[in-house]
Amino acid sequence: MTCVPPGSGWPGDPARPDTPVAHDAAEVAELARTSGTLAELTARQSVCRACPRLVDWREEVAAVKRRAFTGETYWGRPIAGWGEEKPGILIVGLAPAAHGGNRTGRIFTGDRSGDWLFASLYRTGLAAQETSVHAGDGQRLIGTRMVAAVRCAPPANKPDPAERAACSPWLTEEIAMVAGSVRVVVALGGFAWQAVWPALREAGYDLPRPRPAFGHGAEVEISRDGVPAYLLGCYHPSQQNTFTGRVTTGMLDAVFTRANTLRKL
């Protein structure tokens, strides 16, 4: 099986068999714009087929699988936003991992990056459990929501510019829908920092010019309709970063502790 059919009973599947499917960038923009609720938006995200290269890759990975997961069914679809509907904190990553989110059906779930991330969120009071291994494992975010700038797992973890552009309306609309409660946006990695900037602007945020440089612990005040919010930078908890010590547990905890403080102001 190359992907889980919508509405088949996968835990947390937001879609139904009749959920409309985007087949190109124009349809993404239209389906995002006309989503009346967050639930409708995430359902449409989860069945998108707008980028042929990404569709082929995510489904090939789901069919071939990694040896360690040969007995598992892979999700093999785009990863929708996940977490609270009225979050104080929005965490933005670049894209799901081929054998992480693409396998488990939840962003940052089932891979080592997610192990580091959720452990930090748990320590800082933003997740109910220390681990996130699969959709339906009982994990829940506290005052927080997670999204990816690109919703499908890309080859070599590198979506191309056209794929980022095609996917951006999903991100923009989701940011706009949760903006009323969000006080902190955390960008995990430089690519997420770059991707979220235009999405924030299109979602109605006032942003400083020029765009501040990304860095771990970078903090930028932004606002929407006169309500202040903050954009924080955080190094991505990738294996390369955690193995080399570029990211430590203390560094992650410091960012999310700060985010937790800012959301309560």
Side-chain angles (χ1 to χ4, degrees), residues 7-264:
S8 61
W10 187 278
D13 186 353
R16 301 176 307 190
D18 62 349
T19 297
V21 178
H23 293 92
D24 56 34
E27 290 184 355
V28 170
E30 177 65 13
L31 289 177
R33 183 186 63 82
T34 58
S35 296
T37 65
L38 189 57
E40 188 173 31
L41 178 69
T42 55
R44 293 174 176 189
Q45 291 169 358
S46 76
V47 295
C48 184
R49 301 184 67 84
C51 300
R53 186 182 78 113
L54 298 188
V55 172
D56 289 347
W57 173 251
R58 78 191 192 210
E59 294 185 356
E60 177 184 345
V61 170
V64 176
K65 305 180 183 180
R66 178 173 283 173
R67 182 176 298 177
F69 308 124
T70 53
E72 297 186 22
T73 298
Y74 275 50
W75 171 252
R77 284 167 43 196
I79 306 300
W82 174 73
E84 292 204 1
E85 292 192 358
K86 294 183 178 180
I89 298 170
L90 181 68
I91 300 172
V92 182
L94 176 59
H99 302 281
N102 190 57
R103 172 175 61 89
T104 63
R106 183 196 288 161
I107 189 68
F108 284 111
T109 295
D111 58 34
R112 292 192 178 183
S113 294
D115 291 345
W116 276 72
L117 177 60
F118 276 96
S120 181
L121 294 175
Y122 176 74
R123 289 192 298 268
T124 55
L126 300 177
Q129 297 177 178
E130 190 173 8
T131 61
S132 182
V133 296
H134 205 282
D137 62 1
Q139 178 64 281
R140 82 187 154 81
L141 296 173
I142 300 170
T144 303
R145 188 172 184 85
M146 274 186 197
V147 298
V150 175
R151 306 301 168 117
C152 295
N157 293 320
K158 293 180 180 179
D160 66 33
E163 291 160 351
R164 294 188 199 186
C167 208
S168 64
W170 296 133
L171 178 62
T172 297
E173 191 62 30
E174 190 157 0
I175 289 174
M177 284 187 172
V178 300
S181 61
V182 167
R183 296 296 173 263
V184 185
V185 178
V186 180
L188 291 177
F191 287 118
W193 181 273
Q194 294 174 15
V196 78
W197 198 261
L200 287 168
R201 180 175 288 114
E202 291 170 24
Y205 281 86
D206 294 319
L207 307 174
R209 297 185 183 219
R211 182 175 67 197
F214 170 75
H216 187 82
E219 183 173 316
V220 180
E221 186 168 352
I222 60 179
S223 65
R224 188 175 189 268
D225 297 330
V227 179
Y230 298 88
L231 173 63
L232 303 184
C234 180
Y235 285 156
H236 193 288
S238 65
Q239 288 191 56
Q240 180 179 359
N241 284 344
T242 56
F243 283 179
T244 61
R246 188 170 190 235
V247 172
T248 65
T249 56
M251 291 170 66
L252 288 178
D253 289 0
V255 169
F256 291 114
T257 297
R258 178 62 175 162
N260 213 358
T261 299
L262 290 172
R263 79 177 173 114
K264 298 174 181 177

